[in-house]
Amino acid sequence: MGMRVATSEIYMLPKEGSRSGGMCLPRGRDAQARSRMTSSLATVGRPIRSLAAAILIALPGCRVSPSVNILGSFFPAWLISIVIGVVLTVVVRQLFVAVDVASHLRPAGLVYPCLGGLLILATWLILFGS
């Protein structure tokens, strides 16, 4: 069963500059409902403001990335660290196979990506850490 409301009891807030975003709000004797609705609509913007604040706080970390000049071409340092770390992971895996340790490292799908991450981050710290 729906409630019918006369059109004289409802008014439309304008979309721009209003807190309700153009929603129909009751007028007159239902002022409490109107104030509850507008206050609940005001809380919708809180997560957006919090996200914007977090982005602005983290933004100074996005300065110029360290680049390395290799034969006249600049490469980002993280790319160099990834390439060296992956190559070292392959070399360490071959060493594990030669020493017969690779068969004991299970699950291999978890061990070698973790080893690769370790070697990539270690390469970054050794070569570009300050």
Side-chain angles (χ1 to χ4, degrees):
M1 176 177 264
M3 179 191 289
R4 293 186 178 221
V5 179
T7 57
S8 63
E9 293 182 18
I10 295 180
Y11 69 97
M12 185 76 153
L13 289 175
K15 286 190 177 187
E16 288 188 46
S18 78
R19 296 175 80 146
S20 68
M23 296 182 65
C24 293
L25 300 175
R27 180 178 10 172
R29 61 179 182 253
D30 239 352
Q32 284 182 334
R34 183 178 65 218
S35 69
R36 271 186 272 132
M37 185 176 281
T38 56
S39 67
S40 68
L41 290 172
T43 61
V44 171
R46 286 185 187 160
I48 294 172
R49 280 184 253 150
S50 299
L51 178 65
I55 290 172
L56 289 176
I57 289 171
L59 201 55
C62 299
R63 294 187 189 136
V64 178
S65 65
S67 297
V68 178
N69 185 1
I70 299 176
L71 299 174
S73 180
F74 286 96
F75 290 95
W78 58 266
L79 183 64
I80 295 169
S81 298
I82 290 173
V83 169
I84 293 172
V86 168
V87 169
L88 285 176
T89 303
V90 171
V91 169
V92 169
R93 185 192 177 281
Q94 294 299 326
L95 180 70
F96 285 164
V97 169
V99 180
D100 198 31
V101 175
S103 61
H104 300 291
L105 298 175
R106 296 283 178 228
L110 183 66
V111 170
Y112 292 113
C114 289
L115 179 65
L118 174 74
L119 293 174
I120 289 168
L121 294 175
T123 302
W124 171 268
L125 286 175
I126 291 170
L127 296 180
F128 304 106
S130 52

